[in-house]
């Protein structure tokens, strides 16, 4: 369907003022639901259109007069609205979806019960109710829902069950269409109250034990964050109650719907996870709470400024988590687990300025909603906050919230508030950091006695205040260098190892120089500062990606550094980088170290032994031990060791629960050491949503023609698959060492990915193209085929974006292999 254009949004905003929406939904069927929308609107007089994506349009009425239902065209209903007030009534049948958008309906395999949630971002609201779908046409909503008798329903505003199965909700505060949400089903709900705010936690019934187990942690986080945001912003939470729902098959990490935040329910831990996963969840909770002010109270006028929502929430969420919750190491986690995502995105051909993404239409905004929006946006806002100080930074934010309360604003509005608060002229900083794409490359030139800055293709006048850690023979000494030109004098004694940006304050393409690289295997164990180690791992991964660090040297550093690493986030991140267990699947086109070393099997054995040794020295039962065993599992080559691990006979302190068992089974599938019968037996042992996804991944991984054919049917749409199944099956499908079996599917992917627009759309379309991309077959032929497909003028833009990034990853791996002699 057509994507809303910026000029269309401007015309509609100038024409219309939405007074209110009244939406009635009947959720008692299985494949479709009845939707009735009443819109009160004032027009200045002119032609416009209503957004609507139904299965069938039953009736549309304007001011009491029926209009022809066959006028609906490609998701738009044309309207002529004379000057004055109007009432629009639309009755339609809408589709329950299984792609994580619109009104998503999932059946829990654990008990066969259905669960529903609404995801209206970015243009999915019209598949739930008729609307004028753009962020700056805000209006209050009244919602009425009919549901099965055993369901509960929550939405943006407070509601009550007025009769069995019939729910009515108070009128909400003004909302953008993409924030309108409900959660409905036989959910388990825990209620609480804090500082005048009703709190709720929801999850599927089968996850009730996990929710109950973590409820106090989640509620404590919520209370602490509310108290801190109230203190920092000086403005109270404005949306009444606050429900946090963990929902099935959710595309994003979470969505900040006012009063009804939704999270992917793998963030409820039914099996043991390392502390890093709890940090991730805590920062996500805080991130979504920050959105209640930045994004919800004040919303971008257009998708240009969507980055600012995410950058602000990322900055405030990480900061508040580190400062007021038990997870005071959140900034270390953010560095080691998140930064390379943004650095890699900013170095690809698809890089774009932080500001201004999505300026043309909504689809373009979604394509550029990436690590630059989050990770780089977070970095530059952190830099700005440090530059201007809290009094100015928070003073400008408070002014912005006050001026535009329940309205829309632009980046210029916010920066104007900061300037008025005392930041001075921010235009030079904005021009350098927000309106220019790409990374400055910064490296130490020892012979020249200088730090050298190489700008990107479109250079920007950027100043970097760069921390430096130099090894003096007994300790790491800290210093600082201000990089304002292409060559900045900086002399170090011959042979002195140097780490740039040890405090993770820079945003640049950094390199470990040869002297330091040679010394690091002996020095990594001396790094007692977890942030110094984290930034070293970041630079290590960045150097390999850009073919400026020998991947075999990186393996040596991992083998030297992991035995002294005490952060399970670092151990886990490195384990994903070198492992093969399907964890961290969204990095499928990001760097994978063992794809570029000279002897993959030898390197895999070395890192496996390293992780295994770290597991042996970590305290029994600790999070660090768990992370090390997880990493060791993903790099194992011995089926005997894996079978012993599965049996729990050689792992003191390790609980071999369903999560760990499926990690082992995934690795056995990669090695061709299990079969579908064993996978089916394990699934029958504990059949729930998580184990079904692990089973699907493992099934696709099997080195068997029937398994590959089964998986491919899900890619083409010949067989139905949910969004989570597409992710699991796609990432399981491509396995190293199965080249002969998989080779025919390379050409099939290149020939058939274009046609997946017939079976998927939105997030699901891009995800299918991403997760099924044949990255393990990286070679010149794949690169040539990818580039040829990118040049197809009829290729869907979302698929093209995936292929641009995937092709760049292939190019990176080929460059590294060529430079360092890998086969």
């Amino acid at each position: 369907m057509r994507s809303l254009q910026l000029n269309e949004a401007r015309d509609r905003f100038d024409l219309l003022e939405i007074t209110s929406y009244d939406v009635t939904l009947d959720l008692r069927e299985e494949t479709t639901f009845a939707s009735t929308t009443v819109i009160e609107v004032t027009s200045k007089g002119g032609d416009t259109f209503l957004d609507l994506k139904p299965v069938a349009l039953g009736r549309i009425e304007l001011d009491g007069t029926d209009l022809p239902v066959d006028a609906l065209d490609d998701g738009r209903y044309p309207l002529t609205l004379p000057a004055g007030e109007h009432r629009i009534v639309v009755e339609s049948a809408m589709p329950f979806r299984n792609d994580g958008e619109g009104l998503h309906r999932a059946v829990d395999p654990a008990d066969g019960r259905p669960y529903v949630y609404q995801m209206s971002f970015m243009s999915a609201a019209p598949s739930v109710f008729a609307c004028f779908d753009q962020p700056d046409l805000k209006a209050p909503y009244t919602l009425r829902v009919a549901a099965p008798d055993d369901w509960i329903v929550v939405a943006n505003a407070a509601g009550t069950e007025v009769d069995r199965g019939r729910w009515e909700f108070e009128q909400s505060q003004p909302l953008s269409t993409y924030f309108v949400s409900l959660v409905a089903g036989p959910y388990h709900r825990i209620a609480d109250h804090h500082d005048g705010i009703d709190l709720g936690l929801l999850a599927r019934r089968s996850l009730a034990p996990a929710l109950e187990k973590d409820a106090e942690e989640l509620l404590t986080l919520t209370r602490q964050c509310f108290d801190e945001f109230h203190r920092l912003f000086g403005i109270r939470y404005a949306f009444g109650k606050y429900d946090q729902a963990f929902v099935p098959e959710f595309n994003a990490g979470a969505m900040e719907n006012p009063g009804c935040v939704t999270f992917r329910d793998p963030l409820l831990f039914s099996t043991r996870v390392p502390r890093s996963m709890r940090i991730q969840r805590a920062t996500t909770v805080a991130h979504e709470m920050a959105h209640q002010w930045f994004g919800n109270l004040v919303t971008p006028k257009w998708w240009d400024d969507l980055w600012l929502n995410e950058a602000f929430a990322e900055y405030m969420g990480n900061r508040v988590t580190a400062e007021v919750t038990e997870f005071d190491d959140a900034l270390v986690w953010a560095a080691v687990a998140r930064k390379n995502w943004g650095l890699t995105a900013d170095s690809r051909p698809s890089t774009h300025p932080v500001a201004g993404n999505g300026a043309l239409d909504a689809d373009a905004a979604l394509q550029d909603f990436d690590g630059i929006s989050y990770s780089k946006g977070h970095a530059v806002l952190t830099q700005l906050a440090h530059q201007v100080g809290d009094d100015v930074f928070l003073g400008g934010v408070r002014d912005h919230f006050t001026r535009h309360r329940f309205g829309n604003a632009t980046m210029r509005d916010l920066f104007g508030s900061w300037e008025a608060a005392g930041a001075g002229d921010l235009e030079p900083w904005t021009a350098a950091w927000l309106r220019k794409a790409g990374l400055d490359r910064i490296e130490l030139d020892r012979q020249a006695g200088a730090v050298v800055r190489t700008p990107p293709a479109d250079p920007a006048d950027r100043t970097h205040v760069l921390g430096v850690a130099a090894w003096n023979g007994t300790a790491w000494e800290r210093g600082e260098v201000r990089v304002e030109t292409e060559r900045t004098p900086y002399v170090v004694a011959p042979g002195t190892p140097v780490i740039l940006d040890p405090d993770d304050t820079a945003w640049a393409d950094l390199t470990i120089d040869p002297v330091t690289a040679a010394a690091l295997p002996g020095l990594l164990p001396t790094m007692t500062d977890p942030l110094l180690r984290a930034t070293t791992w970041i630079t290590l991964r960045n150097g390999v990606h850009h073919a400026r660090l020998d991947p075999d040297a990186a393996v040596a550093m991992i083998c030297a550094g992991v035995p002294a690493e005490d952060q399970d986030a670092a151990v886990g991140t490195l384990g994903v980088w070198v492992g093969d267990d399907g964890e961290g699947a969204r990095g499928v086109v990001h760097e994978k170290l063992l794809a570029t070393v000279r002897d993959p099997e030898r390197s895999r054995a070395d890192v496996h032994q390293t992780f295994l040794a770290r597991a042996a020295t970590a305290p029994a039962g600790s999070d660090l031990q768990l992370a090390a065993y997880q990493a060791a599992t993903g790099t194992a080559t011995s089926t005997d060791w894996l079978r012993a691990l599965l049996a729990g006979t050689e792992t003191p302190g390790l609980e071999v629960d369903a999560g760990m068992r499926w990690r082992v089974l995934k690795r056995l599938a990669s090695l061709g050491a299990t079969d579908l019968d064993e996978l089916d037996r394990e699934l029958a042992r504990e059949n729930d949503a998580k184990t079904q996804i692990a089973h699907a991944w493992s099934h696709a991984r099997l080195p068997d023609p029937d398994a590959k054919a089964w998986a491919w049917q899900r890619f083409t749409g010949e067989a139905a698959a949910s969004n989570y199944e597409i992710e699991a099956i796609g990432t399981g499908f491509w396995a190293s060492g199965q080249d002969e079996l998989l080779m025919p599917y390379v050409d099939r992917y290149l020939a058939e990915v274009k046609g997946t627009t017939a079976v998927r759309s939105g997030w699901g379309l891009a995800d299918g193209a991403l997760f099924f991309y044949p990255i393990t077959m990286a070679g010149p032929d794949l690169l040539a085929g990818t580039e040829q497909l990118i040049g197809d003028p009829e290729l869907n833009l979302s698929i093209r974006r995936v292929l641009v990034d995937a092709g760049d990853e292939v190019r990176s791996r080929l460059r590294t292999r060529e430079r360092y002699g890998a086969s």
Side-chain angles (χ1 to χ4, degrees):
M1 293 185 177
R2 285 175 291 178
S3 178
L4 182 68
Q5 305 295 302
L6 174 58
N7 63 324
E8 294 174 324
R10 285 173 173 165
D11 289 344
R12 199 158 58 172
F13 177 82
D14 290 340
L15 180 69
L16 304 178
E17 181 178 337
I18 315 300
T19 303
S20 67
Y21 285 88
D22 192 304
V23 179
T24 300
L25 305 175
D26 189 336
L27 309 182
R28 293 174 292 187
E29 301 297 328
E30 292 187 3
T31 58
T32 63
F33 60 94
S35 172
T36 299
T37 310
V38 179
I39 310 172
E40 304 285 349
V41 58
T42 300
S43 171
K44 294 179 181 177
D47 295 333
T48 188
F49 59 90
L50 187 69
D51 297 298
L52 182 62
K53 302 173 183 178
V55 172
L57 175 56
R59 183 171 73 94
I60 181 165
E61 174 191 290
L62 175 62
D63 299 330
T65 300
D66 285 341
L67 301 179
V69 296
D70 58 3
L72 182 66
D73 179 28
D74 198 23
R76 296 181 175 187
Y77 193 96
L79 291 172
T80 298
L81 298 178
E85 298 179 353
H86 300 279
R87 188 173 190 265
I88 303 166
V89 180
V90 180
E91 297 177 356
S92 56
M94 297 294 201
F96 280 118
R97 297 171 64 171
N98 72 342
D99 59 358
E101 299 186 59
L103 211 53
H104 182 102
R105 186 179 189 272
V107 175
D108 188 346
D111 57 18
R113 293 180 175 183
Y115 292 87
V116 168
Y117 63 86
Q118 182 176 344
M119 175 62 158
S120 295
F121 180 86
M122 164 179 293
S123 56
S127 68
V128 181
F129 60 96
C131 57
F132 297 100
D133 188 28
Q134 61 190 68
D136 58 351
L137 286 178
K138 281 187 166 182
Y141 286 77
T142 301
L143 180 64
R144 310 167 206 278
V145 178
D149 291 351
D150 63 338
W151 286 21
I152 66 170
V153 184
V154 300
N156 301 101
T160 57
E161 188 176 18
V162 295
D163 198 357
R164 289 201 65 186
R166 296 193 175 275
W167 298 75
E168 293 188 359
F169 294 84
E170 298 173 5
Q171 188 178 66
S172 73
Q173 297 287 5
L175 306 176
S176 297
T177 46
Y178 78 93
F179 288 139
V180 179
S181 189
L182 66 86
V183 173
Y187 282 91
H188 179 68
R189 184 173 187 270
I190 297 172
D192 196 58
H193 190 83
H194 177 68
D195 192 21
I197 305 167
D198 288 331
L199 307 178
L201 300 172
L202 294 91
R204 289 176 285 144
R205 296 263 176 173
S206 64
L207 287 175
L211 183 65
E212 292 282 354
K213 181 173 178 289
D214 284 355
E216 188 52 39
E217 178 181 311
L218 290 165
L219 290 169
T220 297
L221 284 167
T222 303
R223 299 181 198 111
Q224 290 169 329
C225 290
F226 265 132
D227 289 347
E228 184 67 358
F229 284 129
H230 285 154
R231 185 186 74 81
L232 293 172
F233 298 152
I235 296 170
R236 284 190 57 80
Y237 172 68
F239 297 97
K241 58 89 178 179
Y242 194 71
D243 278 302
Q244 297 175 95
F246 294 84
V247 298
E249 299 173 351
F250 197 69
N251 280 327
M255 180 64 196
E256 65 267 21
N257 316 302
C260 185
V261 177
T262 42
F263 298 83
R264 58 168 47 216
D265 66 12
L267 288 174
L268 279 181
F269 308 130
S270 55
T271 58
R272 246 200 97 203
V273 298
R275 175 181 169 82
S276 58
M277 289 297 296
R278 295 187 178 277
I279 298 174
Q280 178 184 348
R281 184 174 68 183
T283 60
T284 303
V285 167
H287 177 111
E288 305 311 319
M289 293 184 74
H291 273 310
Q292 303 305 312
W293 286 263
F294 211 104
N296 298 3
L297 185 65
V298 181
T299 307
K301 183 169 178 58
W302 178 244
W303 304 117
D304 300 67
D305 291 328
L306 193 60
W307 73 272
L308 196 50
N309 274 17
E310 301 306 336
F312 186 87
E314 194 88 341
Y315 167 68
M316 294 303 307
N318 291 342
R319 170 180 168 169
V320 167
T321 302
E323 290 180 353
V324 303
T325 80
E326 65 177 288
F327 301 106
D328 54 1
D329 49 348
L331 297 182
V332 176
W333 170 85
V336 77
R338 299 278 280 182
K339 192 168 186 176
N340 284 101
W341 174 39
L343 290 172
T344 300
D346 207 17
S347 69
R348 295 209 189 277
S350 60
T351 186
H352 54 83
V354 176
N357 68 349
L360 297 179
D361 59 45
D363 280 353
L366 187 58
Q367 293 164 45
D368 285 343
F369 199 48
D370 55 16
I372 295 172
S373 306
Y374 285 81
S375 188
K376 184 177 182 178
H378 167 225
V380 298
L381 276 193
T382 303
Q383 178 191 127
L384 178 64
H386 290 167
Q387 176 180 314
V388 303
D390 255 8
D391 287 347
V392 171
F393 186 83
L394 293 172
V397 166
R398 295 183 195 111
D399 179 70
H400 183 71
F401 292 159
T402 302
R403 287 177 182 271
H404 306 287
R405 183 178 177 86
F406 295 126
N408 298 82
T410 66
M411 184 182 85
R412 182 61 255 169
D413 292 325
L414 174 62
F415 278 68
S417 289
W418 274 327
E419 290 173 346
D425 181 10
L426 292 176
E427 185 54 36
W429 183 89
T430 302
W433 288 103
L434 301 182
R435 302 198 186 280
K436 291 281 190 176
L439 291 157
D440 288 342
R441 176 178 167 185
I442 298 178
E443 54 196 333
L444 177 63
D445 185 337
R446 292 174 178 271
Q447 289 186 332
V451 171
V452 179
R453 183 188 73 181
T454 305
D458 184 15
D461 184 16
R462 295 175 180 145
T463 295
H464 302 264
V465 180
L466 201 65
V468 179
W471 179 251
N472 66 9
T474 57
W476 291 94
E477 291 184 345
R478 299 302 183 97
E480 186 177 275
V481 58
R482 187 177 182 87
V483 180
E484 296 180 291
T485 61
E486 293 190 3
R487 303 186 73 82
T488 302
Y490 188 80
V491 178
V492 296
T496 300
V498 172
I499 298 294
L500 300 178
D501 191 33
D503 298 314
D504 187 36
T505 60
W507 186 263
D509 173 10
L510 302 177
T511 299
I512 296 174
D513 71 277
V515 170
T516 305
L520 271 178
L523 293 179
L524 275 161
T526 71
M527 293 182 179
T528 57
D529 180 350
L531 194 55
L532 174 60
R533 289 196 308 272
T535 55
T536 302
W537 297 131
I538 291 166
T539 308
L540 181 80
R541 294 170 64 194
N542 187 63
V544 172
H545 176 73
H546 292 290
R548 293 196 295 270
L549 180 66
D550 187 337
D552 284 284
V555 169
M557 292 180 209
I558 290 172
C559 292
V562 164
E565 181 58 70
D566 61 6
Q567 297 289 310
D568 66 78
V571 172
T573 299
L574 293 170
V576 170
W577 190 31
V578 301
D580 186 33
D581 60 2
E583 302 300 319
R586 285 191 175 269
V588 67
V589 297
H590 293 180
E591 62 278 353
K592 287 288 184 181
L593 179 59
L594 298 187
T596 54
V597 296
R598 295 175 185 83
D599 186 344
E601 291 310 310
R602 172 62 183 273
S603 294
R604 182 174 285 108
D606 288 346
V607 295
H608 171 72
Q609 289 301 321
T610 297
F611 289 126
L612 198 57
R614 190 66 187 101
T617 58
S622 67
D623 292 339
L624 184 60
Q625 181 199 46
L626 176 60
Y629 267 124
Q630 289 176 343
T633 301
T635 53
T637 57
S638 167
T639 57
D640 289 342
W641 181 82
L642 288 164
R643 289 293 176 185
L645 182 60
L646 195 61
T649 59
E650 297 183 5
T651 51
L654 178 69
E655 179 185 356
V656 185
D657 57 16
M660 197 67 200
R661 287 199 307 273
W662 275 104
R663 282 181 180 269
V664 175
L665 287 165
K666 284 179 174 183
R667 187 61 189 150
L668 288 170
S670 295
L671 296 172
T674 186
D675 57 25
L676 189 56
D677 287 342
E678 181 178 22
L679 298 177
D680 288 345
R681 287 194 300 271
E682 185 64 30
L683 181 63
R685 175 179 177 176
E686 191 169 345
N687 186 357
D688 60 26
K690 291 182 181 179
T691 56
Q692 281 205 347
I693 293 302
H695 180 277
W697 189 98
S698 303
H699 186 179
R701 196 66 154 193
L702 295 174
D704 175 74
D706 289 340
K708 300 305 181 186
W710 171 88
W712 203 254
Q713 288 177 326
R714 274 74 189 162
F715 173 61
T716 62
E718 182 180 345
S722 72
N723 53 340
Y724 275 25
E725 289 171 329
I726 289 294
E727 177 176 347
I729 294 167
T731 52
F733 184 87
W734 297 101
S736 300
Q738 298 181 9
D739 291 10
E740 184 176 351
L741 181 61
L742 292 172
M743 186 62 71
Y745 286 99
V746 177
D747 288 340
R748 289 192 64 179
Y749 175 90
L750 295 172
E752 296 172 26
V753 67
K754 182 178 175 181
T756 57
T757 54
V759 294
R760 285 186 285 276
S761 62
W763 289 49
L765 177 66
D767 281 355
L770 169 67
F771 297 132
F772 274 88
Y773 185 81
I775 189 62
T776 61
M777 309 295 283
D781 290 343
L782 176 60
L783 180 58
T786 300
E787 290 176 339
Q788 182 178 356
L789 189 54
I790 291 169
D792 184 343
E794 297 181 355
L795 185 67
N796 174 273
L797 293 178
S798 294
I799 296 176
R800 176 177 285 115
R801 170 60 189 271
V802 166
L803 294 178
V804 167
D805 288 351
D808 185 63
E809 179 61 29
V810 173
R811 201 175 294 112
S812 169
R813 295 186 185 195
L814 294 178
R815 184 172 59 241
T816 301
R817 291 173 189 168
E818 179 180 1
R819 180 167 184 179
Y820 295 105
S823 58

